[in-house]
Amino acid sequence: MQKHLLLSLLLLTGVTFTHAQVQPVYKDKPYLQDFSIKYYADTTQSSLKQVASDRNGIIQMLAKEGLRHTSAGQFLYPGKVVPDRNYRYMKDKNISAIISYQDQLVYLTDQVVFSNAWAGTLFSKHSLPNAKLFAGGKDFAFLISDGASLELIKDSKSLWNGKLPDDSVIGLAFQGNANQFWILGNKSVYKVGVQDKRLTKVLSGTDFTAFDIASKESKIVIGTVDGYISLDIPTGKQTGSMNRKLPATKITAVKEVNGKVWFGSDMGAFALRADGKFDYYFGERWLPGNAVIDIAKGPKNSVLVLSTKGLGQIQFKSMTLEEKAKHFDQQVRLRHIRNGFNSQLTGLTHGDLSTGFTEDSDNDGLWTAMYLGGQIFRYAATKDPDALQNCRESMDAMERLFTVNPVAGFPARSFERSGHINELHDIERWQHSPEKEWDWKATTSSDEVIGHIFAFGAAAELVDDPKIKKQAIMLIDTVMSHIVKNNMYLIDYDGKPTQWGKWHPDYVNSFPTNVGDRKLNSSNIVAMLQTAYHFTKKEKYKAKAFELMNKHGYYENMMRPMSIIGRAPEDADEHAKHMSDGWNHSDDEMYFLGYWGLYRYALNDTLKASYKKQIIDHWQAERPEKEGAWNIFTAVTGTKDFDLNESVWYLREHPMDLIDWVIKNSHRKDIEKLEPNFRKQTTKEVLPPDERPVQRHNGNMFNLDRTGGNGSGEHSAGDIWLLPYWMGRYLGIISAPQK
């Protein structure tokens, strides 16, 4: 969630233009990738209050019941908040607050300020038995408060006592460059100098909740129940008005960490970016609970966000995109391979990865084709033998879709061991295989077929393994022969076309010209026929492609601009109306997968130039989504402009945690919402991937919320992230890691 202004991304991240290469290239240098390690508290035994850490990396929390620390915990495998018994002789201390002072843990009790650092020599007495707040100044001077009174102490000596005239104390902070303490009340801000010991009122207000000194000690940021304000320290005046354009306005904590101001709220945490916008950390992707109590600097460039339900340690790790790819490759191989397919992990109990199972899908062939495509590009770019072996295994799974069922040339949606179908509610789709103990899923869709042809074409072209090349060409020929022989239909076990496997003119041209399916099916079938001709050289494929384009208007259908695509007219049939009730993002996925073969294997240069215009026209419509995959597919045409910055943004900002946690953004006041529209674009600007629900490329990137099944499944990075990254590497628009 380390956001970068897209306008300056060229400079910040090393996108360069060279004379030798027309297209821009992203130089893969390390960036800061954020992810969270969570520690859950037993809320029946710990009412958490504060968090702090020291130079040794020790994280300690204060609960009403005593000190707590973290147990176990790593990325995706949460730890616990447990009682801290390390210093057993502290058990009798009535600790009321904890801070990090000079990078050491320091405690406040009803009698003293003390620490186990400095050989235990810090033991400074005070006279406020109900003390609950303190802040450290220079040379072990501390300002202490019980909410009503204030006392400045050093070496057990009381240097000053005082009270706010008409307010209660709720926060303390020290400004080092002026050697003075700042005091936050419910409705006022005061300061007191260590030297002059003069209490001065600086600001009046209402409903203050938290504050901190920020911007190299030049301003104070003050949270309220309805936004935040800033106080300029040199002038002592408020700068600007109340800022309410926030992810959440009820501020519960304010803390500057590593030069960035962080806010806690009743709806998660957020950090102020240099561009004035916010990085939002909501839900269990980041935090055990959303009611934030405290924020503190953590070990190794991390930020500690304490909530009522535990601790979220948000870490910022330097990594390259290739290192992120290695992490995601392991994620896929460990948890998302089923019978060679790229599968979803589902049935999780609250994000516990050990409780899940890989699930068959209507689109096993499609998701696997997209993962396979990524591995093909990976192998083409690196010659990595692991990538080649991944290709072999996925190719074998794809081939078995054709052999597990008895229909010649027909790819099943999926297959599974017999008995499995008894657990399923869609038994009609499942058929018994001629292979004993196996069942296969029927009703294969057009999005399956375009996925197959995309991956097989890429394999036939780019993998220098003779067996895979031969296998890929055979499978292209197998399915396309079936379609051509059956009059441009995909014929199922019952002798009838499947619901969506229809490319015959009677079906395609039955749609009004402004309904997307007419354009989509035309584009897909021409791409598939071209791919088949390119690799088999069988004239029937070339002839059929020209017949559809010239005789049946498929070329005209394809070249129709995206700007006219919309709802079917009133006099259209119900099917056309149903198919055009809004923008279909699955169609986008089918288009762009098809563009590989449409452009790459064009039948002549004239068509290739036309296809380029078609692809770029579509991409222009997609640009608001900043969809990394569609941008990089567009780069196949060689165009200079395909939003490389946004593509890199997509790859960087994609969360490492791909679990389906509850996500909420619709309440936010820092986003500009749009009226309902055909494209289903909810906001003026798309949110970063790590702030929105995890979804495949056939989802709407403008989805704001995910409300059901918290932690119930984990997505595979195979199709979501690895495909666009490795395609970018193969095309040369993303470099190998740079020193």
Side-chain angles (χ1 to χ4, degrees):
M1 203 177 288
Q2 288 291 101
K3 311 299 185 298
H4 299 275
L5 281 167
L6 290 173
L7 291 174
S8 61
L9 195 58
L10 285 167
L11 296 174
L12 291 175
T13 60
V15 176
T16 60
F17 296 85
T18 66
H19 294 296
Q21 178 146 1
V22 176
Q23 292 180 302
V25 179
Y26 169 71
K27 291 189 175 180
D28 188 15
K29 295 181 180 179
Y31 68 98
L32 290 179
Q33 174 67 54
D34 53 352
F35 58 91
S36 178
I37 300 176
K38 292 168 291 186
Y39 302 90
Y40 286 85
D42 182 344
T43 55
T44 65
Q45 297 182 20
S46 295
S47 301
L48 300 171
K49 296 168 61 178
Q50 282 183 290
V51 63
S53 68
D54 70 4
R55 62 181 296 273
N56 301 313
I58 294 171
I59 298 171
Q60 205 166 51
M61 288 151 280
L62 179 65
K64 288 181 181 178
E65 299 80 5
L67 291 174
R68 298 290 187 265
H69 65 173
T70 58
S71 171
Q74 57 181 301
F75 176 56
L76 296 180
Y77 297 90
K80 296 180 179 179
V81 174
V82 298
D84 188 343
R85 300 186 176 93
N86 194 38
Y87 278 89
R88 53 183 172 158
Y89 296 108
M90 291 173 61
K91 185 177 180 181
D92 296 331
K93 299 292 184 187
N94 185 20
I95 298 173
S96 59
I98 181 175
I99 62 171
S100 176
Y101 175 75
Q102 294 185 9
D103 230 7
Q104 305 283 7
L105 293 170
V106 178
Y107 311 95
L108 174 68
T109 76
D110 53 352
Q111 297 179 354
V112 299
V113 172
F114 81 101
S115 176
N116 297 311
W118 305 288
T121 56
L122 174 57
F123 194 82
S124 192
K125 296 177 183 178
H126 64 79
S127 61
L128 299 177
N130 296 316
K132 59 184 180 180
L133 298 166
F134 75 128
K138 291 181 178 179
D139 303 322
F140 297 93
F142 294 91
L143 183 63
I144 298 162
S145 178
D146 58 8
S149 300
L150 293 151
E151 183 177 24
L152 180 64
I153 64 167
K154 182 178 179 182
D155 300 330
S156 296
K157 296 178 181 178
S158 180
L159 305 181
W160 173 80
N161 289 278
K163 288 187 176 183
L164 302 187
D166 57 354
D167 209 351
S168 298
V169 179
I170 60 172
L172 302 171
F174 180 70
Q175 181 191 351
N177 61 9
N179 197 20
Q180 62 186 1
F181 287 93
W182 288 83
I183 304 152
L184 180 69
N186 290 308
K187 56 184 180 180
S188 60
V189 179
Y190 284 78
K191 65 180 179 179
V192 59
V194 174
Q195 300 299 325
D196 62 19
K197 301 177 182 59
R198 187 173 67 185
L199 184 66
T200 306
K201 188 174 186 179
V202 180
L203 183 71
S204 295
T206 56
D207 297 324
F208 294 159
T209 57
F211 81 147
D212 199 18
I213 299 170
S215 300
K216 298 180 179 179
E217 300 190 311
S218 67
K219 74 175 182 179
I220 293 176
V221 180
I222 305 164
T224 77
V225 297
D226 188 28
Y228 77 87
I229 59 174
S230 295
L231 174 68
D232 180 62
I233 289 179
T235 64
K237 294 182 178 179
Q238 180 179 331
T239 56
S241 57
M242 180 77 69
N243 189 343
R244 296 185 179 89
K245 290 186 176 181
L246 311 175
T249 55
K250 188 176 181 180
I251 307 300
T252 57
V254 180
K255 189 71 173 180
E256 186 184 59
V257 181
N258 298 326
K260 183 177 283 190
V261 178
W262 286 74
F263 298 88
S265 76
D266 60 338
M267 292 286 281
F270 47 96
L272 179 62
R273 303 195 324 239
D275 63 359
K277 297 179 181 179
F278 297 92
D279 295 334
Y280 188 33
Y281 298 86
F282 174 94
E284 290 181 77
R285 178 182 292 165
W286 303 106
L287 310 172
N290 288 312
V292 176
I293 303 166
D294 194 20
I295 296 176
K297 183 179 184 293
K300 296 181 179 179
N301 200 32
S302 68
V303 177
L304 305 175
V305 181
L306 188 69
S307 75
T308 54
K309 295 184 178 180
L311 177 70
Q313 183 182 9
I314 300 172
Q315 301 207 339
F316 296 88
K317 182 179 179 181
S318 178
M319 68 170 58
T320 62
L321 287 180
E322 186 176 84
E323 287 172 327
K324 190 170 184 175
K326 288 178 179 177
H327 164 80
F328 279 145
D329 180 65
Q330 187 177 41
Q331 184 245 20
V332 176
R333 302 312 300 182
L334 283 176
R335 298 193 293 275
H336 293 277
I337 299 299
R338 186 193 118 263
N339 296 334
F341 292 124
N342 171 45
S343 301
Q344 176 106 345
L345 187 69
T346 192
L348 302 186
T349 302
H350 193 230
D352 183 346
L353 295 171
S354 68
T355 61
F357 56 88
T358 50
E359 185 176 45
D360 63 87
S361 162
D362 277 2
N363 298 111
D364 273 342
L366 175 59
W367 309 140
T368 304
M370 295 175 76
Y371 169 64
L372 172 58
Q375 295 306 295
I376 291 165
F377 297 132
R378 176 185 170 195
Y379 177 71
T382 67
K383 300 302 179 184
D384 188 328
D386 281 339
L388 183 60
Q389 182 60 25
N390 294 343
C391 291
R392 289 191 185 105
E393 294 178 16
S394 291
M395 283 293 295
D396 288 345
M398 298 289 281
E399 181 177 355
R400 195 171 181 214
L401 289 171
F402 290 83
T403 60
V404 75
N405 77 80
V407 184
F410 182 87
R413 284 185 180 272
S414 184
F415 55 80
E416 202 32 279
R417 296 183 185 277
S418 293
H420 179 65
I421 61 171
N422 296 328
E423 304 173 15
L424 303 173
H425 58 81
D426 58 345
I427 294 175
E428 299 80 11
R429 298 192 183 199
W430 285 94
Q431 304 295 317
H432 292 302
S433 171
E435 295 184 31
K436 190 178 180 182
E437 298 187 1
W438 288 91
D439 296 309
W440 63 281
K441 188 180 276 192
T443 72
T444 303
S445 176
S446 54
D447 51 358
E448 294 289 289
V449 179
I450 192 62
H452 282 249
I453 297 300
F454 156 67
F456 298 156
E461 179 186 356
L462 302 177
V463 179
D464 56 12
D465 180 272
K467 180 181 179 295
I468 289 180
K469 193 177 291 286
K470 181 179 179 182
Q471 184 183 26
I473 295 171
M474 177 272 292
L475 291 171
I476 292 170
D477 195 26
T478 297
V479 68
M480 293 311 297
S481 285
H482 172 101
I483 291 169
V484 171
K485 182 179 72 173
N486 288 295
N487 205 15
M488 310 314 293
Y489 290 107
L490 193 64
I491 303 297
D492 213 334
Y493 70 96
D494 57 4
K496 299 176 182 177
T498 64
Q499 183 175 7
W500 306 113
K502 302 172 182 176
W503 300 274
H504 189 279
D506 288 351
Y507 176 78
V508 173
N509 289 333
S510 68
F511 290 102
T513 55
N514 72 324
V515 172
D517 288 70
R518 182 164 178 157
K519 176 179 171 74
L520 170 66
N521 285 32
S522 299
S523 181
N524 272 187
I525 192 60
V526 170
M528 294 191 292
L529 289 166
Q530 287 188 162
T531 303
Y533 174 72
H534 183 85
F535 291 106
T536 68
K537 300 305 178 188
K538 292 184 178 180
E539 286 295 324
K540 64 179 179 180
Y541 298 128
K542 182 179 181 181
K544 181 58 69 172
F546 277 124
E547 177 193 329
L548 293 174
M549 284 193 284
N550 296 331
K551 184 178 178 181
H552 297 288
Y554 279 30
Y555 177 80
E556 185 181 353
N557 291 342
M558 293 160 63
M559 296 307 295
R560 201 165 282 123
M562 273 290 170
S563 58
I564 77 156
I565 301 300
R567 291 182 174 86
E570 284 300 316
D571 59 353
D573 61 35
E574 290 305 311
H575 181 58
K577 289 179 180 178
H578 172 70
M579 296 298 289
S580 61
D581 60 351
W583 196 267
N584 190 317
H585 297 277
S586 287
D587 287 0
D588 291 331
E589 186 169 68
M590 294 170 66
Y591 273 116
F592 279 96
L593 290 177
Y595 289 156
W596 174 265
L598 187 70
Y599 181 81
R600 199 124 173 138
Y601 313 131
L603 296 172
N604 57 53
D605 289 343
T606 302
L607 283 174
K608 196 168 194 175
S610 295
Y611 297 154
K612 181 174 181 177
K613 292 179 181 178
Q614 175 195 344
I615 294 166
I616 291 174
D617 173 73
H618 187 179
W619 169 73
Q620 290 284 359
E622 296 297 318
R623 292 181 77 178
E625 294 191 13
K626 300 179 184 175
E627 226 288 3
W630 306 158
N631 291 343
I632 292 171
F633 265 95
T634 301
V636 170
T637 66
T639 180
K640 291 181 182 179
D641 191 3
F642 54 90
D643 287 351
L644 177 59
N645 293 342
E646 285 77 359
S647 307
V648 172
W649 175 84
Y650 172 91
L651 295 169
R652 283 183 165 194
E653 299 299 326
H654 215 281
M656 303 279 281
D657 182 345
L658 301 185
I659 293 174
D660 271 328
W661 297 111
V662 165
I663 300 291
K664 291 182 181 177
N665 288 290
S666 54
H667 62 278
R668 295 173 63 167
K669 295 182 179 179
D670 63 326
I671 56 179
E672 186 175 342
K673 297 177 185 175
L674 302 179
E675 292 296 319
N677 53 77
F678 180 74
R679 277 201 63 91
K680 302 178 183 177
Q681 182 173 338
T682 57
T683 55
K684 185 176 180 180
E685 186 176 354
V686 71
L687 290 173
D690 60 357
E691 295 182 16
R692 62 191 190 222
V694 179
Q695 56 192 8
R696 291 185 161 109
H697 297 291
N698 64 339
N700 181 3
M701 299 301 155
F702 286 93
N703 285 335
L704 295 177
D705 299 339
R706 185 188 187 276
T707 56
N710 194 34
S712 60
E714 184 191 47
H715 288 268
S716 167
D719 48 292
I720 293 174
W721 198 94
L722 291 172
L723 171 60
Y725 169 73
W726 284 114
M727 190 176 199
R729 282 289 300 273
Y730 165 71
L731 293 174
I733 58 175
I734 298 174
S735 79
Q738 304 286 296
K739 291 183 180 179

